[in-house]
Amino acid sequence: SMTTITIVAPGAMGSAVGRKLVEGGCIVFTNLEGRSAASRKRAAEAGMVDMPWEKIIERSDLILSIVPPKDALSFALKFADLFKSLRNTPRQHLTFADCNAVSPSSVLDIAAAFEELPISFIDACIIGGPPTIDYNPTFYASTSPKHSAALEQLENLTNNGLIVKALRSEGADVGDASALKMSYAGISKGLTGLLTTMLLASHASSPATSQALLSELKLSQPELLRRITRAISPMFPKAYRWVGEMNEIADFIGKEEGDIYRGMAKIYERINGSLESDKADVTTLQELVDAAKTMLEPKK
Ligand SMILES: *[C@@H]1O[C@H](CO)[C@@H](O)[C@H](O)[C@H]1NC(C)=O
Ligand SMILES: *[C@@H]1O[C@H](CO)[C@@H](O)[C@H](O)[C@H]1NC(C)=O
């Protein structure tokens, strides 16, 4: 029998994951009530089937929540309520995996929504971008020992085209996959924030300072200069989303060092603000990125 998976929602990531699972031999449901035309189109192209909640609860083995981080808790609460109101269906048990970039304390609140229900909760995260024909991000997952069969169920999606790794060593529990996501994003997006901050600060001193900074990076830290050319421009349109993510990371760290990431949230707020207003900061950054690219071109 084929595994039946429901993915909420068919955004860029959700629909790409859906397509992989359809290609990997699963039946993939979603619910398109109130969704945009773009979501409907993405879902249809991915081979996902629009289902009412009642059928989703009756027939799914596994629910994957892939929503904007700020909606992760409200969706979990909504799903728990739907399950309670529709549970006269034959379905006795299912697994709910929250795959969103939320802090471990947020994921504990999400897990609490399912405590009294016959639903196994898995804390999961996705590291990397949406899957394509020749690329897969990695899903990491953790849960409490009582849900170890559900963890295996998620891991088994490796047989259906995803990459899933479970955190299983001593003490692994709900919160750990989210902590891993926070730690990884803190390094990768934090590094982008650090490079952005110092490029802008050096340029505020004078354009000569930022030019000298780029030349010195080329001499002594070429890997960081290459990172400037790759990481900064693609960040601009995502900056507004990263504000919330940096604040989640700050909460995850908890202690005073969390302030590092409150500062990162500020730099991304500034970039978002620049995009929405005079664009001065993003123009400066784009010029510095272009200068860095020129420096890295092989000499003729
Ligand atoms: C996972 O897959 C293995 C091997 O196909 C199977 O024996 C096992 O029952 C599956 N586990 C779950 C929880 O679905
Ligand atoms: C991004 O900028 C817009 C317009 O200035 C503002 O309304 C919004 O709150 C900003 N978002 C964040 C996360 O700072």
Side-chain angles (χ1 to χ4, degrees):
S1 67
M2 287 160 92
T3 308
T4 302
I5 295 167
T6 293
I7 298 180
V8 177
M13 178 65 85
S15 59
V17 170
R19 178 192 294 260
K20 274 274 169 198
L21 289 171
V22 168
E23 286 167 2
C26 298
I27 296 168
V28 181
F29 294 160
T30 192
N31 182 281
L32 294 172
E33 239 168 71
R35 295 280 162 196
S36 67
S39 289
R40 289 172 178 274
K41 183 160 181 278
R42 272 194 303 264
E45 283 171 0
M48 298 162 85
V49 184
D50 183 18
M51 276 287 151
W53 289 111
E54 192 172 352
K55 289 271 182 282
I56 284 177
I57 287 170
E58 190 182 313
R59 291 173 54 190
S60 305
D61 300 304
L62 182 63
I63 311 289
L64 300 181
S65 167
I66 305 179
V67 298
K70 65 176 173 41
D71 301 333
L73 178 60
S74 59
F75 172 64
L77 293 171
K78 175 183 159 179
F79 186 82
D81 281 346
L82 283 164
F83 187 91
K84 277 180 238 172
S85 66
L86 300 172
R87 67 186 296 184
N88 290 336
T89 59
R91 166 66 56 184
Q92 295 302 310
H93 185 273
L94 55 76
T95 297
F96 184 104
D98 179 275
C99 305
N100 304 301
V102 294
S103 71
S105 72
S106 303
V107 91
L108 288 174
D109 292 340
I110 293 171
F114 304 108
E115 203 86 307
E116 306 295 322
L117 300 175
I119 293 180
S120 299
F121 179 76
I122 306 284
D123 175 16
C125 72
I126 307 171
I127 294 188
T132 63
I133 288 174
D134 50 12
Y135 166 79
N136 244 327
T138 301
F139 283 68
Y140 289 90
S142 67
T143 191
S144 55
K146 66 179 177 206
H147 296 316
S148 62
L151 193 62
E152 193 180 298
Q153 192 189 5
L154 190 70
E155 249 182 326
N156 275 2
L157 295 184
T158 301
N159 302 324
N160 305 99
L162 294 187
I163 299 175
V164 185
K165 296 184 178 171
L167 279 61
R168 281 194 198 281
S169 47
E170 174 121 24
D173 209 331
V174 170
D176 291 331
S178 292
L180 169 67
K181 173 75 181 181
M182 298 284 105
S183 307
Y184 182 88
I187 291 173
S188 61
K189 294 170 186 164
L191 200 47
T192 303
L194 203 63
L195 294 168
T196 303
T197 303
M198 296 326 299
L199 287 178
L200 287 173
S202 66
H203 191 268
S205 184
S206 73
T209 312
S210 47
Q211 283 306 318
L213 176 64
L214 295 178
S215 316
E216 180 54 36
L217 288 173
K218 188 188 176 190
L219 277 178
S220 56
Q221 305 280 349
E223 196 43 56
L224 290 179
L225 191 68
R226 274 192 285 278
R227 195 155 181 126
I228 285 170
T229 65
R230 285 196 313 263
I232 292 192
S233 318
M235 165 273 286
F236 299 153
K238 301 179 197 156
Y240 78 97
R241 256 201 293 127
W242 292 8
V243 173
E245 202 171 331
M246 293 302 108
N247 283 321
E248 288 275 334
I249 295 171
D251 292 346
F252 160 58
I253 297 168
K255 309 203 172 39
E256 280 188 22
E257 303 94 275
D259 287 348
I260 297 168
Y261 286 91
R262 276 179 270 279
M264 291 294 171
K266 292 268 185 263
I267 192 75
Y268 289 130
E269 235 173 81
R270 181 173 160 190
I271 299 301
N272 171 54
S274 169
L275 279 179
E276 303 280 334
S277 62
D278 65 0
K279 304 197 168 50
D281 287 338
V282 292
T283 305
T284 299
L285 286 167
Q286 190 58 54
E287 282 166 10
L288 294 173
V289 166
D290 292 342
K293 281 184 182 158
T294 306
M295 281 183 183
L296 287 167
E297 275 166 12
K299 287 261 178 327
K300 300 227 167 77

